[in-house]
């Protein structure tokens, strides 16, 4: 495994092409793909960008690792700039294939099927930016993330919160693994001053606000969620768009 802090030493072939974008473009030609690759002006050896033809997708960002020869991808939706796909590989041909699929608007599941290195974050695409669907997408991301952790208490907390309708109808997010809620989506959250924490000793806490006064401690996730619901403000309506919250 090649390791270095000098990009030219780690990626001599990329340096010879002048940029990661140029090297990827050469791969697409060799593989008979049609993908315009943009060169990063600030870091030509370390980054490249592929624009998507789907308006609800941001550019696919390709990044070179700093101490190991490997590349990462990150593809986000356009409204909140939250990741839909991530992954890393040592094979530029795989990167080029994903770049073409991302650009063409290929379904996320099909991208993953064709390129196993791709990780689906659990979020799904919401082309019309409907806030209720964006909230559900974020819940699916948190559930996916929780199942990927070696932390059964946290997984139980997320699942218990999702099963409670009063919380499921809110927009969820986390701060250092603290589960929090908003009445609006990103990019401008309207945060409810109440949070939930799971601990690795089968203990859960409900706090008045993030890292604030502890309102209750419980021994089950369901008890914590039931307690949290009692502390929710009254009159909460359907989740709204975070873009409108900026007005």
């Amino acid at each position: 495994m090649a390791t270095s802090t000098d990009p030219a030493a780690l990626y001599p072939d990329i340096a010879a092409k002048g940029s990661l974008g140029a090297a990827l473009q050469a791969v697409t030609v060799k593989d008979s793909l049609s993908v315009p690759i943009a060169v990063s002006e600030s870091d030509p050896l370390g980054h490249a960008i592929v624009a998507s033809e789907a308006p609800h997708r941001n550019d696919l960002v390709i990044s070179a690792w700093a101490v190991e020869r490997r590349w990462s991808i990150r593809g986000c939706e356009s409204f909140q700039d939250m990741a839909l796909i991530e992954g890393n590989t040592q094979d530029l041909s795989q990167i080029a294939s994903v770049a073409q699929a991302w650009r063409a608007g290929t379904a996320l599941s099909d991208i993953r099927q064709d390129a196993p290195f791709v990780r689906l974050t659990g979020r799904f695409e919401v082309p019309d930016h409907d806030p209720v669907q964006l909230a559900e997408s974020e819940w699916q991301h948190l559930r996916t993330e929780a199942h990927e952790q070696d932390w059964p208490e946290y997984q139980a907390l997320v699942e218990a919160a999702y099963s409670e309708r009063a919380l499921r109808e809110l927009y969820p997010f986390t701060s250092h693994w603290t589960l929090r809620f908003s009445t609006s989506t990103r990019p401008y959250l309207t945060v409810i001053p109440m949070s939930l924490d799971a601990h690795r000793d089968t203990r859960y806490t409900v706090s008045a606000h993030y890292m604030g006064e502890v309102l209750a401690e419980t021994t089950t996730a369901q008890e914590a969620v039931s307690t949290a619901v009692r502390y929710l403000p009254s009159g909460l309506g359907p989740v709204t768009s975070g873009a409108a919250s900026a007005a």
Side-chain angles (χ1 to χ4, degrees):
M1 179 185 299
T3 60
S4 173
T5 57
D6 178 6
L10 265 179
Y11 305 100
D13 50 336
I14 307 300
K17 293 287 187 181
S19 69
L20 176 56
L24 267 169
Q25 198 70 74
V27 171
T28 65
V29 171
K30 178 177 70 69
D31 293 348
S32 300
L33 302 175
S34 178
V35 190
I37 312 288
V39 175
S40 168
E41 295 183 2
S42 61
D43 186 6
L45 296 186
H47 290 89
I49 299 167
V50 176
S52 176
E53 294 177 337
H56 53 276
R57 289 182 179 179
N58 278 347
D59 297 342
L60 182 73
V61 177
I62 302 108
S63 305
W65 286 24
V67 296
E68 177 185 339
R69 185 181 169 86
R70 185 176 289 271
W71 295 275
S72 296
I73 61 157
R74 181 178 173 87
C76 298
E77 46 82 31
S78 63
F79 183 63
Q80 306 175 107
D81 196 33
M82 303 300 288
L84 298 170
I85 62 170
E86 297 174 327
N88 65 83
T89 179
Q90 294 177 312
D91 188 345
L92 272 185
S93 290
Q94 289 186 326
I95 296 281
S97 176
V98 170
Q100 183 181 53
W102 179 262
R103 176 174 174 78
T106 301
L108 301 177
S109 58
D110 291 340
I111 293 177
R112 172 67 175 84
Q113 182 174 345
D114 293 340
F117 81 92
V118 170
R119 171 183 171 267
L120 301 183
T121 65
R123 296 185 181 98
F124 53 84
E125 297 186 276
V126 186
D128 63 356
H129 305 154
D130 175 71
V132 173
Q133 288 299 299
L134 287 172
E136 176 62 21
S137 173
E138 202 61 23
W139 272 113
Q140 295 310 318
H141 162 66
L142 289 184
R143 297 178 75 198
T144 297
E145 183 181 56
H147 280 268
E148 293 172 344
Q149 307 304 312
D150 183 19
W151 191 356
E153 292 89 351
Y154 179 71
Q155 179 181 331
L157 179 63
V158 171
E159 290 297 333
Y162 182 71
S163 69
E164 173 57 60
R165 180 177 178 179
L167 296 181
R168 187 172 65 248
E169 291 181 344
L170 298 172
Y171 185 92
F173 67 103
T174 58
S175 301
H176 300 286
W177 302 103
T178 295
L179 184 57
R180 306 175 69 188
F181 307 94
S182 170
T183 58
S184 63
T185 69
R186 290 179 176 94
Y188 298 99
L189 298 174
T190 306
V191 179
I192 294 173
M194 183 272 298
S195 62
L196 288 161
D197 283 282
H199 306 277
R200 292 187 181 273
D201 56 0
T202 319
R203 182 171 53 91
Y204 303 85
T205 57
V206 183
S207 300
H209 51 84
Y210 179 55
M211 299 184 68
E213 175 192 0
V214 174
L215 299 173
E217 286 196 357
T218 71
T219 57
T220 70
Q222 189 56 58
E223 288 175 322
V225 165
S226 297
T227 301
V229 170
R230 293 199 295 271
Y231 282 99
L232 285 177
S234 60
L236 296 178
V239 67
T240 60
S241 170
S245 300

